[in-house]
Amino acid sequence: MTVFVLASANPDKVAEIRAILGPSVELRSRPASVGEVEETGCTLEENARIKARALVDATGMAAIADDTGLEVDALDGAPGVYSARFSGAGATYASNVAKLLESLRGRPDRGARFRTVALALWPDGRELVAEGWVRGVITTEGRGADGFGYDPVFQPDGAERTFAEMTTEEKNVLSHRGRAFRSLADRLAAR
Ligand code: ITT
């Protein structure tokens, strides 16, 4: 079994990734000694690689990292790679959702997609990259208390509930992160 250190500092994401990858991959938590890694890339893939590289350098272990963005059609793909900081310095999930709803107020075109890039990087520089996305609409108000981030206002196509109205298991079947990490798991298994 390959042991990886997981680059994410976001406990919501870590819980989802563990649930998706299951017991065939051993994931260690990011050591407390490794500080926040600045996401200076211009793409999700660059940011995933920056986060993984920082963990490989700090631990000498293989690392798994991911980066996710919400790409809103009516905002020309924003907030995208800037999803965590959409509402500026000190942004919270709530302030980001409020800004998104405000940006789309009165607009009928509410299509969007979540996209995740998941990346495994080894100390010798080998890497595997996988991507997953899900299309949906931005609802006019938040619904549901589960999930995190933009989940209360994202309703995947074909569903009647937002991600925040689903259990973690239901969300993982449909979600960007579920798809990206299942694809990464397939590639790891095929190595
Ligand atoms: P790490 O870099 O430490 O992994 P992060 O919070 O920066 O954590 P991402 O860059 O992957 O995570 O995601 C950027 C933001 O996009 C995140 O802060 C959330 O607001 C939002 N987001 C990511 N995944 C999401 C999901 O599954 N559902 C709802 N919002 C999500």
Side-chain angles (χ1 to χ4, degrees), residues 72-109:
V72 179
D73 300 346
L75 304 178
D76 294 327
V81 75
Y82 304 110
S83 293
R85 297 161 270 171
F86 187 39
S87 55
T92 62
Y93 291 157
S95 67
N96 285 337
V97 165
K99 177 163 181 191
L100 178 62
L101 290 180
E102 190 52 40
S103 310
L104 294 181
R105 185 190 291 275
R107 297 196 63 148
D109 50 334

Side-chain angles (χ1 to χ4, degrees), residues 18-30:
R18 280 189 198 284
I20 297 161
L21 286 180
S24 63
V25 176
E26 186 181 331
L27 287 180
R28 303 257 170 93
S29 299
R30 182 170 116 173

Side-chain angles (χ1 to χ4, degrees), residues 5 14 24 27-28 56 78 80 85 97 104 106 125-126 140 155 172 180:
V5 57
V14 174
S24 63
L27 287 180
R28 303 257 170 93
V56 168
R85 297 161 270 171
V97 165
L104 294 181
R126 276 179 304 138
T140 50
Q155 182 171 305
N172 286 344

Side-chain angles (χ1 to χ4, degrees), residues 8 23 96 98 110 134 142 156 158 165 172:
S8 182
N96 285 337
R110 307 185 72 90
V134 57
E165 293 176 301
N172 286 344

Side-chain angles (χ1 to χ4, degrees), residues 7-10 13 16 30 36 39 51 66-68 83-84 93 96 114 148-151 163 171 176-177:
S8 182
N10 181 332
K13 282 176 44 177
E16 285 193 3
R30 182 170 116 173
E36 192 64 41
E39 299 182 20
K51 289 189 260 188
D66 77 307
D67 203 34
T68 294
S83 293
Y93 291 157
N96 285 337
F114 269 121
F148 66 99
Y150 298 93
D151 281 345
F163 272 156
K171 177 184 170 186
H176 46 300
R177 189 168 299 102

Side-chain angles (χ1 to χ4, degrees), residues 17-71:
I17 293 166
R18 280 189 198 284
I20 297 161
L21 286 180
S24 63
V25 176
E26 186 181 331
L27 287 180
R28 303 257 170 93
S29 299
R30 182 170 116 173
S33 55
V34 183
E36 192 64 41
V37 180
E38 223 190 318
E39 299 182 20
T40 51
C42 297
T43 64
L44 298 176
E45 184 170 328
E46 277 174 24
N47 277 340
R49 189 172 292 116
I50 287 168
K51 289 189 260 188
R53 169 53 60 195
L55 265 287
V56 168
D57 289 347
T59 65
M61 291 171 60
I64 286 183
D66 77 307
D67 203 34
T68 294
L70 176 66
E71 302 170 341

